[in-house]
Amino acid sequence: KAGVTQTPRYLIKTRGQQVTLSCSPISGHRSVSWYQQTPGQGLQFLFEYFSETQRNKGNFPGRFSGRQFSNSRSEMNVSTLELGDSALYLCASSLGEGDTQYFGPGTRLTVL
Amino acid sequence: AQTVTQSQPEMSVQEAETVTLSCTYDTSENNYYLFWYKQPPSRQMILVIRQEAYKQQNATENRFSVNFQKAAKSFSLKISDSQLGDTAMYFCAFMGDSSNTGKLIFGQGTTLQVKP
């Protein structure tokens, strides 16, 4: 089976812009979770989607949003980018509750 | 709130030797899942091992094994016969059972260097 894929792998944006990141889960996986990784804050949970429904959300401002499509692919959007949004964004997919999460290679976002 | 603590920011080990990475966690839940993930310089997060809290037997995967002490809320990772390819950052992670579905809580990570 193909692993989790994320596009794009690298992205450079300027403050105030918005960005959309995409995640394609492992075939058959219906849960997609998103994480932000920074040197200062480590790995932090953004949100989780299962069957097109957001089931869980981390402590991030409303500028961070996401959605999931009927084929389980997920996107996350960050509006009005800030310098502090520069990070590695990881998505992970799993079969569902309690199942192991498998990670994609990440999208490296740089905000200038 | 659940927390995960890795008290060793950096460790090193000689090739072929054994090393143990520490992890403690805090939760009021009785059933949960614990994981060790490895993140090499490529930044790809790779599952190393998984432990279900209801299982008393410690999980093993080839050269990797855990020492799960539920009462002490401790979950250490032992790497035997260390190889150069084991050089990476290692994260301990917690996932609750019914609460906070789909959410992994990570420790701060331990950078492991395997020396030739």
Side-chain angles (χ1 to χ4, degrees):
Chain A
K1 273 186 181 179
V4 179
T5 58
Q6 291 186 246
T7 56
R9 292 293 310 279
Y10 302 91
L11 211 45
I12 300 175
K13 293 286 188 178
T14 56
R15 277 183 300 175
Q17 288 187 310
Q18 76 166 21
V19 67
T20 300
L21 312 182
S22 180
C23 173
S24 292
I26 292 170
S27 178
H29 285 190
R30 295 167 65 188
S31 172
V32 174
S33 298
W34 288 88
Y35 298 87
Q36 180 196 65
Q37 185 175 22
T38 60
Q41 299 299 316
L43 283 148
Q44 293 185 288
F45 172 77
L46 281 155
F47 28 65
E48 187 251 2
Y49 286 87
F50 183 88
S51 292
E52 302 180 67
T53 300
Q54 185 183 87
R55 296 196 301 183
N56 203 354
K57 189 177 189 307
N59 190 23
F60 278 82
R63 299 185 297 107
F64 291 81
S65 63
R67 60 177 175 169
Q68 187 179 34
F69 302 95
S70 58
N71 62 357
S72 294
R73 189 177 70 86
S74 178
E75 289 182 346
M76 68 163 280
N77 183 275
V78 188
S79 62
T80 319
L81 284 165
E82 300 178 359
L83 295 178
D85 297 334
S86 293
L88 179 68
Y89 289 89
L90 295 166
C91 85
S93 77
S94 72
L95 289 169
E97 204 166 305
D99 186 47
T100 298
Q101 293 187 12
Y102 297 92
F103 284 80
T107 294
R108 168 72 67 185
L109 172 64
T110 301
V111 182
L112 302 176
Chain B
Q2 295 98 344
T3 58
V4 177
T5 302
Q6 293 177 248
S7 59
Q8 306 150 315
E10 295 179 356
M11 294 190 72
S12 65
V13 64
Q14 291 296 132
E15 196 175 7
E17 294 191 345
T18 296
V19 64
T20 298
L21 309 184
S22 301
C23 172
T24 58
Y25 59 94
D26 188 25
T27 183
S28 58
E29 296 187 36
N30 187 51
N31 196 28
Y32 46 87
Y33 308 89
L34 295 163
F35 305 85
W36 279 98
Y37 283 91
K38 161 185 173 181
Q39 190 177 43
S42 67
R43 310 308 297 274
Q44 173 77 54
M45 194 76 80
I46 301 165
L47 174 72
V48 175
I49 204 163
R50 163 194 169 106
Q51 174 82 43
E52 291 89 353
Y54 62 85
K55 290 186 178 178
Q56 291 187 330
Q57 187 172 7
N58 289 325
T60 62
E61 285 289 341
N62 302 313
R63 298 182 294 107
F64 299 88
S65 62
V66 297
N67 183 3
F68 173 49
Q69 301 290 327
K70 191 173 183 179
K73 296 180 181 174
S74 170
F75 183 60
S76 61
L77 174 70
K78 185 171 84 171
I79 306 174
S80 304
D81 186 25
S82 297
Q83 300 175 359
L84 296 177
D86 295 334
T87 292
M89 192 151 196
Y90 286 80
F91 291 96
C92 177
F94 170 99
M95 181 190 296
D97 187 8
S98 55
S99 68
N100 283 316
T101 181
K103 177 182 179 179
L104 283 168
I105 299 169
F106 288 89
Q108 305 93 314
T110 296
T111 300
L112 175 67
Q113 183 178 16
V114 180
K115 298 179 178 179

